[in-house]
Amino acid sequence: AQSVTQLDSQVPVFEEAPVELRCNYSSSVSVYLFWYVQYPNQGLQLLLKYLSGSTLVKGINGFEAEFNKSQTSFHLRKPSVHISDTAEYFCAVSYNQAGTALIFGKGTTLSVSS
Amino acid sequence: EAGVAQSPRYKIIEKRQSVAFWCNPISGHATLYWYQQILGQGPKLLIQFQNNGVVDDSQLPKDRFSAERLKGVDSTLKIQPAKLEDSAVYLCASRRTEKITDTQYFGPGTRLTVL
């Protein structure tokens, strides 16, 4: 079955430290990968996406992610986090170019403290 | 441009009661989704519309859930009768077309509590 696994349910870090949020997906010939962020009481906002081309994808707010086909991973990274990055982060995948909805992981709560 | 609008933002009902949620997608967006997000989990698709036609409702519990998108714009999701396990956030999302290159935008959600 097609699935997404976010390996860490909670990641606590100190401000200005680097962070990596891990995401693995079930393998397929075609795969399209996304990271969304959800702030409290708000909807999901797209951080970045991989559709094709360069495996290193840069997104908003200084986040980036690397698509690794051999390891079926799409880990999210930021070199220096801020208090305002505290939120829930969701990895999502689509296995079809058209029509299908996103399959989401269970989410990772990033807590940044001073 | 205005985002995806949802109402109400919060709803508390007793089990076996009925409830309805409303979604207004971004203007011009042909594709509309309803997701259910249970606490501690990621969103799960309930139903997908393309204009006013249903594309995928395979995960919609049709014995109690129904959804419509009249005129291909606004959409309503109804639960009748509600069960305790329906407590969740219901998210509406829209996309300009069904193509993967178009971003899926989410509304703020409706938080449903069933007592």
Side-chain angles (χ1 to χ4, degrees), chain A residues 1 4 18-19 27 45 55 61 63 77 94 101 106 110:
Chain A
V4 178
V19 70
S27 181
Q45 179 184 3
T55 57
N61 301 339
F63 284 93
R77 293 190 288 259
S94 178
K106 291 188 175 182
L110 176 63

Side-chain angles (χ1 to χ4, degrees), chain A residues 1-98:
Chain A
Q2 299 163 345
S3 65
V4 178
T5 302
Q6 291 185 245
L7 297 164
D8 306 296
S9 59
Q10 296 190 42
V11 174
V13 294
F14 287 107
E15 195 173 19
E16 297 182 9
V19 70
E20 178 180 79
L21 306 184
R22 297 180 292 169
C23 172
N24 287 86
Y25 61 92
S26 53
S27 181
S28 175
V29 174
S30 297
V31 64
Y32 308 92
L33 295 154
F34 306 79
W35 275 100
Y36 277 83
V37 60
Q38 187 175 34
Y39 299 103
N41 298 316
Q42 294 186 29
L44 282 78
Q45 179 184 3
L46 181 66
L47 271 179
L48 47 80
K49 60 185 176 184
Y50 170 79
L51 301 181
S52 64
S54 173
T55 57
L56 183 61
V57 180
K58 294 190 183 296
I60 61 172
N61 301 339
F63 284 93
E64 64 180 32
E66 186 158 18
F67 170 58
N68 189 319
K69 190 172 183 178
S70 63
Q71 297 188 9
T72 61
S73 68
F74 190 56
H75 300 334
L76 180 71
R77 293 190 288 259
K78 187 171 182 178
S80 176
V81 295
H82 303 290
I83 297 285
S84 59
D85 292 323
T86 295
E88 188 86 11
Y89 292 79
F90 291 95
C91 181
V93 63
S94 178
Y95 293 94
N96 194 309
Q97 274 199 358

Side-chain angles (χ1 to χ4, degrees), chain B:
Chain B
E1 62 182 356
V4 178
Q6 291 188 246
S7 67
R9 292 295 311 277
Y10 305 91
K11 190 75 177 178
I12 301 174
I13 62 173
E14 302 271 340
K15 60 183 179 184
R16 291 188 290 274
Q17 286 186 322
S18 62
V19 65
F21 313 129
W22 173 81
C23 172
N24 180 232
I26 293 173
S27 178
H29 281 200
T31 309
L32 185 147
Y33 309 84
W34 283 101
Y35 289 86
Q36 179 192 56
Q37 185 179 14
I38 293 173
L39 186 65
Q41 298 183 22
K44 184 188 79 171
L45 178 72
L46 289 175
I47 189 167
Q48 177 186 342
F49 291 94
Q50 183 66 21
N51 296 307
N52 60 347
V54 175
V55 174
D56 182 359
D57 63 356
S58 57
Q59 299 187 81
L60 186 74
K62 298 181 187 64
D63 57 333
R64 297 184 300 106
F65 286 65
S66 64
E68 61 182 8
R69 191 182 184 199
L70 299 175
K71 300 180 181 178
V73 181
D74 293 3
S75 177
T76 55
L77 177 69
K78 297 179 182 177
I79 308 175
Q80 181 179 6
K83 292 185 175 181
L84 296 177
E85 58 261 35
D86 297 332
S87 293
V89 176
Y90 291 85
L91 295 166
C92 179
S94 71
R95 192 183 233 165
R96 190 174 62 86
T97 73
E98 60 181 3
K99 292 180 181 179
I100 199 70
T101 48
D102 287 331
T103 297
Q104 196 170 145
Y105 295 92
F106 285 81
T110 296
R111 182 177 298 276
L112 173 67
T113 302
V114 182
L115 302 176

